[in-house]
């Protein structure tokens, strides 16, 4: 069992991919104890987002998307879900961190909202809402030695969720835009190895020929400091923002070259699967 969020009056539902993975049938029970057989419209294993559809003669109550990018550390949030089959459980907490990657070395681009709202088994796919009742995340993970809540939990930002939902409905799969760079997020140890004084930003080690970064004039050794006004301190800051973009979108990049800041606009390119 898991949780889900109705996001439209005609019955579209967001949940986690891992909640419905390998299922032969999905049954949705709404808050008024009515059961519906759901259709799996599509899902994305990488972001752990799945889209379901249920049908009824009546319109469903639904939640509005909030702007997760504008959420603030320290902001109050509520987690809603069905932990251990305890229907419609609500817990409260604050946003502890944004663009959190649980494992920087696993080659999986994660960019979670971290909160201290209690989340347990069964909460997966449930709503993380702000004090205005807007959806700012889908609760998806805890990191625990015991398997139970230990003080922090993680949610997929709603800006990413909305983009995945729209992609699945419009294109049938996720449209991923590529900047066309490879490298590392700087910290003190990396900066010493590279003989750099900068300890923040994304250091470009490889430029992919013909992609947006190359065409915009970025070069090996440049350090991306901001993208669309978002400060880049770690790789998940960069990957999280790009996860909300599609091929053909333009992003504004501020980068450092020889200790001088420069600006450019990069057009994202489609990832070849």
């Amino acid at each position: 069992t898991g949780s889900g969020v109705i996001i439209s009056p005609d019955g579209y539902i967001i949940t986690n991919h891992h909640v419905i993975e390998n299922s032969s049938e999905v049954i949705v029970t709404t808050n008024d104890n009515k059961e519906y057989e759901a259709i799996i419209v599509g899902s994305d294993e990488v972001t752990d987002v799945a889209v379901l559809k249920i049908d009824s003669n009546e319109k469903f109550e639904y939640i509005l998307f909030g702007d997760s990018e504008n959420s603030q550390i320290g902001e109050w949030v509520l987690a809603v879900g069905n932990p251990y089959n305890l229907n419609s459980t609500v817990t409260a907490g604050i946003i502890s961190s944004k663009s959190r990657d649980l494992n920087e070395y696993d080659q999986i681009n994660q960019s979670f909202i971290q909160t201290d709202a209690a989340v347990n088994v069964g909460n997966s796919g449930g709503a993380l809402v702000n004090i205005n009742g807007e959806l700012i995340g889908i609760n998806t993970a805890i990191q625990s030695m015991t398997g139970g809540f230990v003080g922090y939990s993680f949610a997929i930002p709603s800006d990413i969720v909305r983009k995945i939902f729209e992609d699945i409905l419009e294109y049938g799969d996720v449209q991923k835009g590529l900047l066309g760079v490879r490298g590392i997020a700087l910290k003190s140890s990396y900066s010493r190895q590279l003989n750099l004084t900068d300890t923040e930003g994304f250091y470009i080690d490889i430029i992919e020929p013909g992609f947006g970064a190359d065409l915009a004039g970025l070069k090996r050794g440049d350090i991306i400091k901001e993208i669309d006004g978002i400060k880049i301190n770690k790789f998940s800051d960069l990957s999280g923002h790009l996860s909300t973009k599609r091929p053909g979108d333009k992003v504004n990049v501020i980068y450092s070259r020889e200790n001088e800041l420069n600006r450019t606009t990069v057009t994202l390119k489609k990832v070849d699967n």
Side-chain angles (χ1 to χ4, degrees), residues 163 167 174-181 207-216 218 227 242-251 253 265-273:
K163 189 260 183 183
D167 280 359
V174 179
Q175 303 291 296
K176 298 175 182 178
L178 197 65
L179 197 63
V181 298
I207 294 281
E208 301 283 356
F211 280 75
D214 178 35
L215 299 176
L218 289 166
I227 183 166
L242 293 178
S243 294
T244 68
K245 302 295 181 181
R246 295 187 178 90
D249 286 351
K250 298 180 186 296
V251 294
V253 176
T265 300
V266 178
T267 301
L268 303 180
K269 187 173 179 179
K270 184 175 177 62
V271 178
D272 294 322
N273 294 323

Side-chain angles (χ1 to χ4, degrees), residues 86-156:
L86 300 172
N87 288 349
S88 302
T89 295
V90 181
T91 55
I94 61 168
I95 294 176
S96 312
S97 179
K98 295 172 65 178
S99 66
R100 180 74 78 190
D101 191 339
L102 301 185
N103 185 348
E104 295 180 5
Y105 308 104
D106 62 1
Q107 303 299 310
I108 298 174
N109 296 340
Q110 294 177 327
S111 187
F112 290 130
I113 296 173
Q114 179 183 329
T115 80
D116 67 347
V119 167
N120 284 288
V121 175
N123 272 113
S124 290
L128 185 73
V129 303
N130 60 20
I131 58 173
N132 297 317
E134 299 167 331
L135 182 71
I136 62 166
I138 294 292
N139 299 312
T140 190
I142 57 176
Q143 198 169 42
S144 168
M145 297 295 290
T146 63
F149 178 71
V150 291
Y152 40 85
S153 55
F154 303 93
I156 307 164

Side-chain angles (χ1 to χ4, degrees), residues 5-23:
V5 183
I6 300 176
I7 57 166
S8 70
D10 56 346
Y12 280 101
I13 293 173
I14 298 288
T15 186
N16 282 139
H17 169 81
H18 77 260
V19 170
I20 56 91
E21 187 177 15
N22 299 324
S23 61

Side-chain angles (χ1 to χ4, degrees), residues 61-83:
E61 292 188 54
Y62 63 99
I63 194 167
L64 297 174
F65 279 103
D67 186 349
S68 58
E69 186 56 53
N70 287 332
S71 60
Q72 302 292 318
I73 293 173
E75 178 182 334
W76 281 100
V77 289
L78 300 176
V80 187
N82 307 298

Side-chain angles (χ1 to χ4, degrees), residues 6-13 52-56 58-62 165 169:
I6 300 176
I7 57 166
S8 70
D10 56 346
Y12 280 101
I13 293 173
L52 311 178
K53 179 72 166 64
I54 57 176
D55 291 310
S56 172
E58 300 175 4
K59 291 185 177 180
F60 294 99
E61 292 188 54
Y62 63 99
F165 168 70
L169 258 61

Side-chain angles (χ1 to χ4, degrees), residues 1-3 29-33 80-90 122-123:
T1 60
S3 305
T29 304
T30 53
N31 203 42
D32 55 3
N33 295 321
V80 187
N82 307 298
Y84 303 116
N85 277 332
L86 300 172
N87 288 349
S88 302
T89 295
V90 181
N123 272 113

